[in-house]
Amino acid sequence: MAGTLPPHIDLREPRWDQSTFAGRARHFFMVTDPRNLLLSGATLEEARRLVQDYRAGKVSAGVTEDQLWRAKYIYDSAFHPDTGEKMVLVGRMSAQVPMNMTITGCMLTFYRTTPAVLFWQWVNQSFNAIVNYTNRSGDAPITTGQLGTAYVSATTGAVVTALGLKSLTKHLPPIIGRFVPFAAVAAANCINIPLMRQRELKLGIPILDEDGNRLGESRAAARQAIAQVVVSRIGMAAPAMAIPPVIMNALEKRAFLKRYPWMNAPLQVGLVGLCLVFATPLCCALFPQKSSMRVSRLEPEAQARVREKSPRAEIVYFNKGL
């Protein structure tokens, strides 16, 4: 192999050990880096070329190992791991912090009136629908009807939850009302993600052996993958929607915000952003991206396919999605 790179770098795997939380966290700090959104199309294509050339046994002279890993993370930030398609900009994980910072900050600021609750829950679920579709597991298409059902159901669930809890907290301390948006977001995640990925629940997601060879599809693997993503998404939202309300409730009692009420929204958005910078990669790292399951836990038909193709396999692997 030409160039200065060793031939044994496995670009199918992250740079850091994914069996440890610290390794996964370092990986996702790279994947969710908002600066990746500023990269040009030419930079993305160059990263893809470097990665694909290296996988094919070719590399340009002078490319270092650090440059190759940087290209891999640029490639991973913009292209779907299963389909290889370029992902829509706002659906990429690198868009999570700036998009959620703005939306969540506004949800926490404008939660007092019904029209504001309706509008920001709708905006949030529209964004979530794009993210859930963009980061789905596997390479199976999803129909327009399935997309529409998931979107409408999740938006309705979030709005009903928000309005219902808002009415229940009318006579409670104001601080309680500030947590209504989080309850609505948690409920919506439990609806939106399974519905957006319902095809995976019905038909299964690709399962692989340790060498990356496809052994079939599994519905049990899909259920585990989706459950892990739901937990991660709720965990991701928790600090950003639980810590700023407490701080803002204390600040609103002081003279500064009474004198400059227009600072409420910028402060709220900034606090949410600070939480999300850390919560997003750390909660993505709760579970390995390349998740695993024992063959004995698969549904019988999936077990039969695995036994037929790889009789000695005890564990299968799959992309859980994000």
Side-chain angles (χ1 to χ4, degrees), residues 82 137-140 200 203-208 213-218 221-222 291 316-320:
D82 293 322
S137 174
D139 50 13
E200 299 171 34
L203 303 179
I205 58 175
I207 49 176
L208 316 169
N213 300 310
R214 188 163 177 164
L215 302 176
E217 293 76 34
S218 169
S291 196
V316 293
Y317 302 89
F318 51 91
N319 171 29
K320 72 175 177 62

PDB file of all heavy atoms in Angstrom, residues 82 137-140 200 203-208 213-218 221-222 291 316-320:
ATOM      1  N   ASP A  82     -25.523   2.669   7.083  1.00  0.00           N
ATOM      2  CA  ASP A  82     -26.033   1.483   6.395  1.00  0.00           C
ATOM      3  C   ASP A  82     -26.292   1.724   4.910  1.00  0.00           C
ATOM      4  O   ASP A  82     -26.002   0.867   4.079  1.00  0.00           O
ATOM      5  CB  ASP A  82     -27.342   1.001   7.061  1.00  0.00           C
ATOM      6  CG  ASP A  82     -27.088   0.477   8.469  1.00  0.00           C
ATOM      7  OD1 ASP A  82     -26.054  -0.175   8.671  1.00  0.00           O
ATOM      8  OD2 ASP A  82     -27.921   0.723   9.356  1.00  0.00           O
ATOM      9  N   SER A 137     -32.075   2.710  11.864  1.00  0.00           N
ATOM     10  CA  SER A 137     -31.162   1.599  11.649  1.00  0.00           C
ATOM     11  C   SER A 137     -31.543   0.861  10.375  1.00  0.00           C
ATOM     12  O   SER A 137     -32.710   0.855   9.969  1.00  0.00           O
ATOM     13  CB  SER A 137     -31.228   0.632  12.842  1.00  0.00           C
ATOM     14  OG  SER A 137     -30.465  -0.521  12.593  1.00  0.00           O
ATOM     15  N   GLY A 138     -30.548   0.250   9.723  1.00  0.00           N
ATOM     16  CA  GLY A 138     -30.829  -0.585   8.557  1.00  0.00           C
ATOM     17  C   GLY A 138     -30.964   0.202   7.275  1.00  0.00           C
ATOM     18  O   GLY A 138     -30.843   1.427   7.242  1.00  0.00           O
ATOM     19  N   ASP A 139     -31.257  -0.530   6.196  1.00  0.00           N
ATOM     20  CA  ASP A 139     -31.316   0.071   4.869  1.00  0.00           C
ATOM     21  C   ASP A 139     -32.685  -0.052   4.224  1.00  0.00           C
ATOM     22  O   ASP A 139     -32.840   0.141   3.025  1.00  0.00           O
ATOM     23  CB  ASP A 139     -30.264  -0.579   3.954  1.00  0.00           C
ATOM     24  CG  ASP A 139     -30.337  -2.109   3.991  1.00  0.00           C
ATOM     25  OD1 ASP A 139     -31.330  -2.645   4.523  1.00  0.00           O
ATOM     26  OD2 ASP A 139     -29.403  -2.757   3.484  1.00  0.00           O
ATOM     27  N   ALA A 140     -33.705  -0.412   5.021  1.00  0.00           N
ATOM     28  CA  ALA A 140     -35.044  -0.585   4.469  1.00  0.00           C
ATOM     29  C   ALA A 140     -35.745   0.758   4.338  1.00  0.00           C
ATOM     30  O   ALA A 140     -35.650   1.599   5.222  1.00  0.00           O
ATOM     31  CB  ALA A 140     -35.869  -1.511   5.369  1.00  0.00           C
ATOM     32  N   GLU A 200     -38.998  -1.515  11.036  1.00  0.00           N
ATOM     33  CA  GLU A 200     -37.990  -2.361  11.654  1.00  0.00           C
ATOM     34  C   GLU A 200     -38.628  -3.332  12.647  1.00  0.00           C
ATOM     35  O   GLU A 200     -38.212  -4.488  12.764  1.00  0.00           O
ATOM     36  CB  GLU A 200     -36.958  -1.501  12.375  1.00  0.00           C
ATOM     37  CG  GLU A 200     -36.203  -0.546  11.466  1.00  0.00           C
ATOM     38  CD  GLU A 200     -35.350   0.434  12.249  1.00  0.00           C
ATOM     39  OE1 GLU A 200     -34.822   0.036  13.315  1.00  0.00           O
ATOM     40  OE2 GLU A 200     -35.216   1.589  11.820  1.00  0.00           O
ATOM     41  N   LEU A 203     -40.412  -6.023  10.310  1.00  0.00           N
ATOM     42  CA  LEU A 203     -39.590  -6.856   9.428  1.00  0.00           C
ATOM     43  C   LEU A 203     -38.201  -7.157   9.990  1.00  0.00           C
ATOM     44  O   LEU A 203     -37.507  -8.020   9.451  1.00  0.00           O
ATOM     45  CB  LEU A 203     -39.455  -6.175   8.055  1.00  0.00           C
ATOM     46  CG  LEU A 203     -40.766  -5.870   7.333  1.00  0.00           C
ATOM     47  CD1 LEU A 203     -40.484  -5.176   6.009  1.00  0.00           C
ATOM     48  CD2 LEU A 203     -41.580  -7.150   7.117  1.00  0.00           C
ATOM     49  N   GLY A 204     -37.802  -6.437  11.021  1.00  0.00           N
ATOM     50  CA  GLY A 204     -36.493  -6.659  11.605  1.00  0.00           C
ATOM     51  C   GLY A 204     -35.426  -5.745  11.035  1.00  0.00           C
ATOM     52  O   GLY A 204     -35.645  -5.044  10.045  1.00  0.00           O
ATOM     53  N   ILE A 205     -34.255  -5.741  11.682  1.00  0.00           N
ATOM     54  CA  ILE A 205     -33.104  -4.978  11.212  1.00  0.00           C
ATOM     55  C   ILE A 205     -31.973  -5.954  10.896  1.00  0.00           C
ATOM     56  O   ILE A 205     -31.942  -7.077  11.412  1.00  0.00           O
ATOM     57  CB  ILE A 205     -32.631  -3.937  12.246  1.00  0.00           C
ATOM     58  CG1 ILE A 205     -32.271  -4.600  13.583  1.00  0.00           C
ATOM     59  CG2 ILE A 205     -33.682  -2.877  12.460  1.00  0.00           C
ATOM     60  CD1 ILE A 205     -31.692  -3.640  14.601  1.00  0.00           C
ATOM     61  N   PRO A 206     -31.020  -5.548  10.042  1.00  0.00           N
ATOM     62  CA  PRO A 206     -29.933  -6.467   9.683  1.00  0.00           C
ATOM     63  C   PRO A 206     -29.108  -6.881  10.897  1.00  0.00           C
ATOM     64  O   PRO A 206     -28.741  -6.047  11.728  1.00  0.00           O
ATOM     65  CB  PRO A 206     -29.087  -5.628   8.715  1.00  0.00           C
ATOM     66  CG  PRO A 206     -30.024  -4.602   8.174  1.00  0.00           C
ATOM     67  CD  PRO A 206     -30.951  -4.277   9.295  1.00  0.00           C
ATOM     68  N   ILE A 207     -28.825  -8.173  10.994  1.00  0.00           N
ATOM     69  CA  ILE A 207     -27.935  -8.690  12.029  1.00  0.00           C
ATOM     70  C   ILE A 207     -26.702  -9.277  11.346  1.00  0.00           C
ATOM     71  O   ILE A 207     -26.794  -9.890  10.285  1.00  0.00           O
ATOM     72  CB  ILE A 207     -28.630  -9.743  12.923  1.00  0.00           C
ATOM     73  CG1 ILE A 207     -29.339 -10.807  12.071  1.00  0.00           C
ATOM     74  CG2 ILE A 207     -29.619  -9.086  13.866  1.00  0.00           C
ATOM     75  CD1 ILE A 207     -29.958 -11.926  12.894  1.00  0.00           C
ATOM     76  N   LEU A 208     -25.542  -9.065  11.982  1.00  0.00           N
ATOM     77  CA  LEU A 208     -24.263  -9.413  11.369  1.00  0.00           C
ATOM     78  C   LEU A 208     -23.447 -10.296  12.302  1.00  0.00           C
ATOM     79  O   LEU A 208     -23.673 -10.309  13.523  1.00  0.00           O
ATOM     80  CB  LEU A 208     -23.458  -8.143  11.071  1.00  0.00           C
ATOM     81  CG  LEU A 208     -24.205  -6.960  10.448  1.00  0.00           C
ATOM     82  CD1 LEU A 208     -23.327  -5.718  10.471  1.00  0.00           C
ATOM     83  CD2 LEU A 208     -24.644  -7.279   9.023  1.00  0.00           C
ATOM     84  N   ASN A 213     -20.473  -9.854   8.290  1.00  0.00           N
ATOM     85  CA  ASN A 213     -21.268 -10.561   7.279  1.00  0.00           C
ATOM     86  C   ASN A 213     -22.728 -10.603   7.698  1.00  0.00           C
ATOM     87  O   ASN A 213     -23.042 -10.942   8.849  1.00  0.00           O
ATOM     88  CB  ASN A 213     -20.743 -11.990   7.103  1.00  0.00           C
ATOM     89  CG  ASN A 213     -19.294 -12.015   6.653  1.00  0.00           C
ATOM     90  OD1 ASN A 213     -18.930 -11.338   5.701  1.00  0.00           O
ATOM     91  ND2 ASN A 213     -18.463 -12.784   7.355  1.00  0.00           N
ATOM     92  N   ARG A 214     -23.616 -10.269   6.779  1.00  0.00           N
ATOM     93  CA  ARG A 214     -25.045 -10.212   7.091  1.00  0.00           C
ATOM     94  C   ARG A 214     -25.628 -11.613   7.219  1.00  0.00           C
ATOM     95  O   ARG A 214     -25.467 -12.453   6.335  1.00  0.00           O
ATOM     96  CB  ARG A 214     -25.778  -9.424   6.001  1.00  0.00           C
ATOM     97  CG  ARG A 214     -27.227  -9.123   6.311  1.00  0.00           C
ATOM     98  CD  ARG A 214     -27.724  -8.021   5.404  1.00  0.00           C
ATOM     99  NE  ARG A 214     -29.132  -7.710   5.575  1.00  0.00           N
ATOM    100  CZ  ARG A 214     -29.708  -6.605   5.121  1.00  0.00           C
ATOM    101  NH1 ARG A 214     -28.987  -5.713   4.454  1.00  0.00           N
ATOM    102  NH2 ARG A 214     -30.993  -6.381   5.307  1.00  0.00           N
ATOM    103  N   LEU A 215     -26.298 -11.858   8.341  1.00  0.00           N
ATOM    104  CA  LEU A 215     -26.870 -13.168   8.624  1.00  0.00           C
ATOM    105  C   LEU A 215     -28.381 -13.208   8.460  1.00  0.00           C
ATOM    106  O   LEU A 215     -28.980 -14.285   8.482  1.00  0.00           O
ATOM    107  CB  LEU A 215     -26.504 -13.601  10.051  1.00  0.00           C
ATOM    108  CG  LEU A 215     -25.009 -13.686  10.371  1.00  0.00           C
ATOM    109  CD1 LEU A 215     -24.809 -14.039  11.831  1.00  0.00           C
ATOM    110  CD2 LEU A 215     -24.322 -14.703   9.465  1.00  0.00           C
ATOM    111  N   GLY A 216     -28.997 -12.051   8.320  1.00  0.00           N
ATOM    112  CA  GLY A 216     -30.450 -11.994   8.186  1.00  0.00           C
ATOM    113  C   GLY A 216     -31.004 -10.750   8.852  1.00  0.00           C
ATOM    114  O   GLY A 216     -30.289  -9.758   9.020  1.00  0.00           O
ATOM    115  N   GLU A 217     -32.285 -10.811   9.247  1.00  0.00           N
ATOM    116  CA  GLU A 217     -32.935  -9.701   9.928  1.00  0.00           C
ATOM    117  C   GLU A 217     -33.592 -10.221  11.197  1.00  0.00           C
ATOM    118  O   GLU A 217     -33.995 -11.385  11.268  1.00  0.00           O
ATOM    119  CB  GLU A 217     -34.002  -9.043   9.039  1.00  0.00           C
ATOM    120  CG  GLU A 217     -33.449  -8.338   7.818  1.00  0.00           C
ATOM    121  CD  GLU A 217     -33.039  -9.302   6.714  1.00  0.00           C
ATOM    122  OE1 GLU A 217     -33.710 -10.351   6.565  1.00  0.00           O
ATOM    123  OE2 GLU A 217     -32.043  -9.030   6.022  1.00  0.00           O
ATOM    124  N   SER A 218     -33.750  -9.331  12.183  1.00  0.00           N
ATOM    125  CA  SER A 218     -34.347  -9.754  13.452  1.00  0.00           C
ATOM    126  C   SER A 218     -35.242  -8.667  14.026  1.00  0.00           C
ATOM    127  O   SER A 218     -34.829  -7.511  14.137  1.00  0.00           O
ATOM    128  CB  SER A 218     -33.252 -10.104  14.461  1.00  0.00           C
ATOM    129  OG  SER A 218     -33.796 -10.266  15.761  1.00  0.00           O
ATOM    130  N   ALA A 221     -33.937  -7.878  17.704  1.00  0.00           N
ATOM    131  CA  ALA A 221     -32.843  -6.901  17.696  1.00  0.00           C
ATOM    132  C   ALA A 221     -33.393  -5.493  17.509  1.00  0.00           C
ATOM    133  O   ALA A 221     -32.905  -4.542  18.120  1.00  0.00           O
ATOM    134  CB  ALA A 221     -31.846  -7.237  16.584  1.00  0.00           C
ATOM    135  N   ALA A 222     -34.418  -5.356  16.662  1.00  0.00           N
ATOM    136  CA  ALA A 222     -35.035  -4.046  16.433  1.00  0.00           C
ATOM    137  C   ALA A 222     -35.657  -3.511  17.721  1.00  0.00           C
ATOM    138  O   ALA A 222     -35.528  -2.323  18.033  1.00  0.00           O
ATOM    139  CB  ALA A 222     -36.090  -4.145  15.334  1.00  0.00           C
ATOM    140  N   SER A 291     -24.525  -2.559  18.574  1.00  0.00           N
ATOM    141  CA  SER A 291     -25.101  -3.299  19.695  1.00  0.00           C
ATOM    142  C   SER A 291     -25.028  -4.796  19.418  1.00  0.00           C
ATOM    143  O   SER A 291     -24.776  -5.225  18.291  1.00  0.00           O
ATOM    144  CB  SER A 291     -26.554  -2.866  19.902  1.00  0.00           C
ATOM    145  OG  SER A 291     -27.014  -3.276  21.162  1.00  0.00           O
ATOM    146  N   VAL A 316     -24.792 -11.983  17.798  1.00  0.00           N
ATOM    147  CA  VAL A 316     -24.944 -11.231  16.560  1.00  0.00           C
ATOM    148  C   VAL A 316     -24.862  -9.741  16.876  1.00  0.00           C
ATOM    149  O   VAL A 316     -25.078  -9.322  18.024  1.00  0.00           O
ATOM    150  CB  VAL A 316     -26.276 -11.549  15.842  1.00  0.00           C
ATOM    151  CG1 VAL A 316     -26.290 -12.981  15.347  1.00  0.00           C
ATOM    152  CG2 VAL A 316     -27.470 -11.276  16.756  1.00  0.00           C
ATOM    153  N   TYR A 317     -24.560  -8.950  15.864  1.00  0.00           N
ATOM    154  CA  TYR A 317     -24.357  -7.513  16.043  1.00  0.00           C
ATOM    155  C   TYR A 317     -25.277  -6.746  15.092  1.00  0.00           C
ATOM    156  O   TYR A 317     -25.659  -7.239  14.031  1.00  0.00           O
ATOM    157  CB  TYR A 317     -22.889  -7.145  15.771  1.00  0.00           C
ATOM    158  CG  TYR A 317     -21.929  -7.897  16.668  1.00  0.00           C
ATOM    159  CD1 TYR A 317     -21.427  -9.138  16.294  1.00  0.00           C
ATOM    160  CD2 TYR A 317     -21.534  -7.358  17.883  1.00  0.00           C
ATOM    161  CE1 TYR A 317     -20.553  -9.833  17.127  1.00  0.00           C
ATOM    162  CE2 TYR A 317     -20.668  -8.051  18.725  1.00  0.00           C
ATOM    163  CZ  TYR A 317     -20.176  -9.272  18.336  1.00  0.00           C
ATOM    164  OH  TYR A 317     -19.326  -9.962  19.149  1.00  0.00           O
ATOM    165  N   PHE A 318     -25.619  -5.511  15.492  1.00  0.00           N
ATOM    166  CA  PHE A 318     -26.500  -4.687  14.658  1.00  0.00           C
ATOM    167  C   PHE A 318     -26.311  -3.224  15.012  1.00  0.00           C
ATOM    168  O   PHE A 318     -25.907  -2.883  16.125  1.00  0.00           O
ATOM    169  CB  PHE A 318     -27.966  -5.081  14.843  1.00  0.00           C
ATOM    170  CG  PHE A 318     -28.423  -5.142  16.284  1.00  0.00           C
ATOM    171  CD1 PHE A 318     -28.971  -4.032  16.904  1.00  0.00           C
ATOM    172  CD2 PHE A 318     -28.290  -6.309  17.017  1.00  0.00           C
ATOM    173  CE1 PHE A 318     -29.378  -4.066  18.234  1.00  0.00           C
ATOM    174  CE2 PHE A 318     -28.696  -6.372  18.351  1.00  0.00           C
ATOM    175  CZ  PHE A 318     -29.240  -5.255  18.956  1.00  0.00           C
ATOM    176  N   ASN A 319     -26.592  -2.372  14.039  1.00  0.00           N
ATOM    177  CA  ASN A 319     -26.547  -0.921  14.260  1.00  0.00           C
ATOM    178  C   ASN A 319     -27.844  -0.505  14.937  1.00  0.00           C
ATOM    179  O   ASN A 319     -28.925  -0.646  14.362  1.00  0.00           O
ATOM    180  CB  ASN A 319     -26.377  -0.208  12.915  1.00  0.00           C
ATOM    181  CG  ASN A 319     -26.552   1.298  13.032  1.00  0.00           C
ATOM    182  OD1 ASN A 319     -26.287   1.879  14.076  1.00  0.00           O
ATOM    183  ND2 ASN A 319     -27.011   1.916  11.965  1.00  0.00           N
ATOM    184  N   LYS A 320     -27.749   0.018  16.160  1.00  0.00           N
ATOM    185  CA  LYS A 320     -28.968   0.361  16.892  1.00  0.00           C
ATOM    186  C   LYS A 320     -29.625   1.649  16.394  1.00  0.00           C
ATOM    187  O   LYS A 320     -30.781   1.925  16.736  1.00  0.00           O
ATOM    188  CB  LYS A 320     -28.688   0.506  18.386  1.00  0.00           C
ATOM    189  CG  LYS A 320     -27.899   1.736  18.778  1.00  0.00           C
ATOM    190  CD  LYS A 320     -27.771   1.868  20.281  1.00  0.00           C
ATOM    191  CE  LYS A 320     -26.920   3.052  20.684  1.00  0.00           C
ATOM    192  NZ  LYS A 320     -27.476   4.359  20.259  1.00  0.00           N
TER     193      LYS A 320
END
